[in-house]
Amino acid sequence: MPKIYSVGLGIPDFNIPQSDAMLFAKKLFSNAFRDIERLLSVFQNAEIESRYFVKDIHWYGEEHSFAEKNSIFIEMAEALGIKAIENCLHNKGIELDEIDAIFTICTTGLSTPSLDARIMNKLPFRLDAKRIPIWGLGCVGGAAGLSRAYEYCLAFPRAKILILAIELCSLTFQKNDFNKSNLIGTSLFADGAACTLMIGEEAETPLHSVAALPSIIGTQSMLLKDSLDVMGWDIKNDGLHVIFSKDIPMIVRKWLQPNVQAFLDKYHLDIKDIKQFIAHPGGKKVIDAYVEALGVSEERTKESRDILKHYGNMSSVTIFYILKRILEKDIQPGEYGLAMALGPGFSSEQLLLRWD
């Protein structure tokens, strides 16, 4: 089975404490909401201490056109993507010219040529490497990218693949949008990049020098019909406006458990057999809904909560930050893991892992 070999991060320069973000929002939204003090509790209740942005916080209080923000997106996404790739392959014994395909995941900016083409002009990849850009999956994109790369490795078992996720959520911020969804997004979303190396079963790599690695046993994609308004973008003249339903935690509690159990049933497993839980932390309420719906302990969501605490929700990128923490643990061969994320559609993606 294809294996996840390493994860590298691309972390922006500006670390913004949540208290500063709350004061920024209070100043910006106080005239729009009579109950601003009550609404600002979302910043305190999010269990986020700080987040990383590509600009300092004062920049977001100024007027910027969609064109300007998207131009900055391309520039910064390229830089952070390169950093994540270099960190992913550093001291791993695999060179850029050995990479056969790049899956690039993004939802927070537009680029044609795609980001992978821009990065390949800066780094010494083979020019015949396959490029598979995936746009529009939001928070579920990282897990979906892993699933699609897994399927590629099944077709080409000698392949070495990069899954590159880049999200600059802060550049979608709309200072003149006084919708509550925008306020909630301001309390939650952040910027970041991550790159993951996956190798096919027959790929030639220095695996003998590495401890147990997670193999991907199988995946499941699921769409909830007639739920297009749960999460996504409303694209207007001035850019991307966030759609963020308050019903997401309720949907998780009611819809997710049967889907997860049906997936595990295919492998004659139960949730109690899963030792490593790699869950995208859409937010505190979403993590709590995971715990309630799946009957897992809060301890099983520790890595998800820690990443949310220190990095916020980086959309598709976030699950890779959690995965990196999991890879750094001393995990015994034979242990099972479950990676999962939710996103626009409304949709879920699940991957069953086993350490070998």
Side-chain angles (χ1 to χ4, degrees), residues 52-217:
Y52 288 86
F53 297 153
V54 294
K55 294 289 185 179
D56 68 79
I57 196 166
H58 304 291
W59 185 89
Y60 300 96
E62 302 167 353
E63 294 289 344
H64 303 284
S65 68
F66 187 15
E68 180 189 356
K69 289 187 287 186
N70 200 72
S71 178
I72 293 170
F73 165 82
I74 292 173
E75 175 190 355
M76 298 307 302
E78 183 181 294
L80 290 174
I82 289 172
K83 183 189 296 187
I85 290 169
E86 291 176 339
N87 287 337
C88 178
L89 297 183
H90 182 65
N91 288 336
K92 297 301 185 296
I94 295 176
E95 302 298 329
L96 286 168
D97 61 5
E98 297 179 60
I99 299 302
D100 299 293
I102 309 170
F103 288 73
T104 307
I105 316 300
C106 183
T107 308
T108 49
L110 306 175
S111 177
T112 304
S114 54
L115 293 174
D116 40 38
R118 296 175 185 276
I119 289 171
M120 286 176 67
N121 274 275
K122 297 288 183 66
L123 296 178
F125 285 97
R126 292 202 325 268
L127 298 183
D128 66 344
K130 302 295 190 295
R131 297 188 295 116
I132 306 98
I134 301 175
W135 195 90
L137 293 180
C139 292
V140 80
L146 286 171
S147 293
R148 304 295 82 80
Y150 156 77
E151 291 156 359
Y152 187 100
C153 283
L154 292 183
F156 302 98
R158 297 179 64 82
K160 305 181 185 83
I161 296 177
L162 295 182
I163 304 98
L164 176 63
I166 308 169
E167 302 287 9
L168 307 185
C169 302
S170 73
L171 296 180
T172 70
F173 173 70
Q174 300 291 341
K175 70 182 294 289
N176 298 314
D177 180 358
F178 301 114
N179 190 294
K180 288 183 181 179
S181 290
N182 191 36
L183 180 64
I184 293 171
T186 305
S187 74
L188 186 63
F189 291 115
D191 302 340
C195 181
T196 298
L197 172 63
M198 186 182 297
I199 57 174
E201 190 171 32
E202 299 176 13
E204 295 181 5
T205 60
L207 282 177
H208 60 277
S209 64
V210 181
L213 291 170
S215 296
I216 300 177
I217 305 303

Side-chain angles (χ1 to χ4, degrees), residues 17 20 23 47 101 110 136 138 171-174 186 194 213 224-225 241 277 302 304 306 316 336 350 356:
D20 288 358
L23 290 175
E47 294 190 357
L110 306 175
L171 296 180
T172 70
F173 173 70
Q174 300 291 341
T186 305
L213 291 170
L224 178 63
K225 197 170 182 179
H241 292 246
F277 196 55
K302 180 181 184 301
S304 296
D306 283 350
S316 69
Y336 284 99
Q350 299 160 40
D356 297 319

Side-chain angles (χ1 to χ4, degrees), residues 283-349:
K284 178 188 180 298
K285 290 184 178 180
V286 173
I287 300 177
D288 291 343
Y290 284 143
V291 170
E292 182 180 340
L294 301 177
V296 299
S297 66
E298 287 197 9
E299 179 62 25
R300 304 272 285 283
T301 63
K302 180 181 184 301
E303 285 79 15
S304 296
R305 294 180 190 274
D306 283 350
I307 293 301
L308 183 67
K309 180 178 180 180
H310 297 292
Y311 296 94
N313 183 344
M314 298 168 282
S315 191
S316 69
V317 175
T318 319
I319 196 167
F320 296 110
Y321 279 55
I322 301 163
L323 181 59
K324 181 174 173 62
R325 292 277 185 97
I326 298 290
L327 290 178
E328 292 168 351
K329 295 170 63 176
D330 183 18
I331 297 175
Q332 297 302 308
E335 286 192 19
Y336 284 99
L338 181 66
M340 60 190 308
L342 304 167
F346 184 74
S347 57
S348 72
E349 192 77 31

